[in-house]
Amino acid sequence: MKFCNIKVSSNFFLAPMAAVTSLPFRLMCKKQGAGLTITEQINATQIARNPDPFTNNEFFTIRTVPEEKPVGVQLFGTVEKDFVKAVEVIEKNFDLININCGCPAPRETSIGAGAALLKKPEKIASIIEAIASVTDKPVTAKIRLGWNKNDAVKIAKVIDRAEPDAIMVHGRTADQKYMGEADYDAIKAVKDVIGCEVVANGDVDSAQKAEELLHKTGCSFGMIGRAAMKNPFVFKEIQEHSKGKDWIPNDKERIEAFFDYYEYCKKFDMIKVSDLKSKAIQFTKGIDFTKGTRVRLIGAKSEQEIVKALEEFLKQTTAK
Ligand SMILES: Cc1cc2nc3c(=O)[nH]c(=O)nc-3n(C[C@H](O)[C@H](O)[C@H](O)COP(=O)(O)O)c2cc1C
């Protein structure tokens, strides 16, 4: 299957999430079947000011490895020449460039970036054109439906004139943040009027919801954010469901996913005990742990304690 001329293994992608979609997390989601991963948003101006961001630890969020492919990078900012410079420096490591036009955080909107760009779709169009002039990689934009009302069709039509390769649409306005339900009809209205690929996004947390998203929006591709944080298995669940099979991970698969994540964290020197502990608890939700294992997991204060508790549980269950 191809998306923007990139070979992808699935039509559901991992949405960019600041402070969540680290390299280990993206690799683990890829292993669970995410068709494409995208880095969290990265400041285009800061990259533009740095001669070699890949060797600078401050820019750990742009780290990627060949096994992650295909992978996109998401940039935020307002200054076209900074986007251009940033893309010239980092495009070699990525398969797709994405512009953040949806983040409602004041840190970004106060400087005219993120969702503030929705008030000036011509600006989004010129950023796309500027980036496309220096790269052959697909250039895409991730938008919300509008600033404080649904202007999605108007905004998408202006952006589409710049011939982006795709637009990712989160079916809420910036004002809504995460309130209410994502509006799939509004995403469909965009899909119906523009020429480029549309990736639908919002509220998918199961194979059934994924099916509903594609059915209601008419899109061929979808993106999952929050649900993947707690349930990265959702990608495989969707893939299996599309083959007519109902799948949920068994205890061993849940624990193995945690160990995949742990190994990636070790490999890239990105271990944080609090993060490991929350992943261990989230990924293993639904397992009927013995009381002892649960107490050890919740009380764990080091990575070794978390790992030991799960390893021993795994040994006990496989010995049965
Ligand atoms: C913690 C968090 C961080 C996010 N960071 C980004 C980001 O860096 N860039 C972006 O375009 N969207 C970001 N988003 C929005 C998601 O990509 C996605 O559009 C949104 O969560 C809706 O999809 P969902 O309902 O599947 O979660 C973030 C969302 C969350 C919850």
Side-chain angles (χ1 to χ4, degrees):
M1 162 185 338
K2 285 212 164 170
F3 169 73
C4 296
N5 241 350
I6 304 167
K7 203 165 163 226
V8 291
S9 58
S10 155
N11 57 346
F12 272 83
F13 308 156
L14 175 66
M17 289 185 284
V20 175
T21 50
S22 61
L23 175 58
F25 187 78
R26 299 195 310 264
L27 286 167
M28 193 266 311
C29 286
K30 195 127 266 173
K31 235 178 155 179
Q32 291 300 326
L36 175 79
T37 45
I38 301 183
T39 68
E40 65 179 85
Q41 54 182 337
I42 296 156
N43 189 325
T45 301
Q46 279 176 6
I47 294 185
R49 287 186 186 151
N50 228 281
D52 189 4
F54 286 115
T55 58
N56 184 337
N57 275 345
E58 248 181 69
F59 294 97
F60 64 93
T61 48
I62 53 168
R63 282 176 78 183
T64 180
V65 285
E67 70 180 288
E68 192 185 2
K69 281 183 167 296
V71 53
V73 60
Q74 187 187 65
L75 297 171
F76 77 91
T78 53
V79 184
E80 275 157 53
K81 67 174 180 20
D82 290 346
F83 275 100
V84 165
K85 194 138 186 241
V87 168
E88 282 175 335
V89 174
I90 61 177
E91 63 131 25
K92 60 179 186 296
N93 283 13
F94 295 98
D95 302 289
L96 172 141
I97 317 296
N98 184 249
I99 306 161
N100 183 322
C101 316
C103 179
R107 181 173 63 98
E108 280 177 40
T109 54
S110 62
I111 58 160
L117 286 170
L118 298 171
K119 296 185 206 169
K120 294 182 186 165
E122 314 76 34
K123 175 104 187 157
I124 303 174
S126 43
I127 294 171
I128 292 170
E129 279 167 355
I131 295 176
S133 71
V134 295
T135 180
D136 292 331
K137 304 276 167 78
V139 183
T140 64
K142 182 163 175 287
I143 65 169
R144 285 183 175 238
L145 299 179
W147 179 250
N148 54 13
K149 61 181 187 354
N150 178 7
D151 289 324
V153 166
K154 220 162 70 191
I155 293 167
K157 274 184 173 172
V158 175
I159 300 176
D160 199 34
R161 275 189 236 134
E163 300 185 359
D165 292 277
I167 301 181
M168 290 75 173
V169 187
H170 172 193
R172 287 185 177 85
T173 61
D175 222 22
Q176 276 182 287
K177 304 218 167 57
Y178 291 93
M179 284 179 300
E181 277 179 30
D183 185 342
Y184 292 175
D185 294 335
I187 301 176
K188 180 178 190 311
V190 171
K191 167 78 185 156
D192 286 347
V193 294
I194 64 170
C196 70
E197 197 72 74
V198 175
V199 180
N201 170 230
D203 298 348
V204 170
D205 57 2
S206 65
Q208 288 71 21
K209 194 77 181 176
E211 202 169 63
E212 181 188 331
L213 175 81
L214 298 189
H215 179 72
K216 288 198 173 157
T217 61
C219 294
S220 305
F221 298 92
M223 197 171 240
I224 303 176
R226 289 165 299 168
M229 286 162 70
K230 290 191 174 160
N231 178 24
F233 311 102
V234 68
F235 295 106
K236 189 160 178 208
E237 196 186 315
I238 293 169
Q239 276 183 332
E240 295 297 314
H241 185 77
S242 70
K243 295 179 212 155
K245 290 186 221 155
D246 279 331
W247 177 86
I248 51 160
N250 61 30
D251 293 1
K252 190 165 172 273
E253 286 163 329
R254 285 180 187 279
I255 293 174
E256 277 170 359
F258 167 78
F259 280 115
D260 284 340
Y261 179 71
Y262 173 58
E263 288 304 320
Y264 290 133
C265 289
K266 268 204 302 199
K267 185 167 169 188
F268 303 113
D269 203 12
M270 294 172 92
I271 289 196
K272 244 172 79 185
V273 176
S274 56
D275 169 63
L276 273 188
K277 190 165 150 175
S278 70
K279 296 289 189 299
I281 292 170
Q282 284 164 352
F283 296 177
T284 59
K285 209 172 162 205
I287 296 183
D288 189 15
F289 279 133
T290 56
K291 194 164 168 242
T293 307
R294 191 164 296 284
V295 169
R296 283 172 72 189
L297 211 50
I298 292 169
K301 294 202 169 41
S302 68
E303 82 187 67
Q304 289 77 12
E305 286 177 82
I306 303 166
V307 169
K308 245 181 150 186
L310 290 177
E311 271 176 353
E312 284 174 18
F313 176 78
L314 207 52
K315 245 190 241 157
Q316 284 163 21
T317 37
T318 43
K320 273 181 198 163

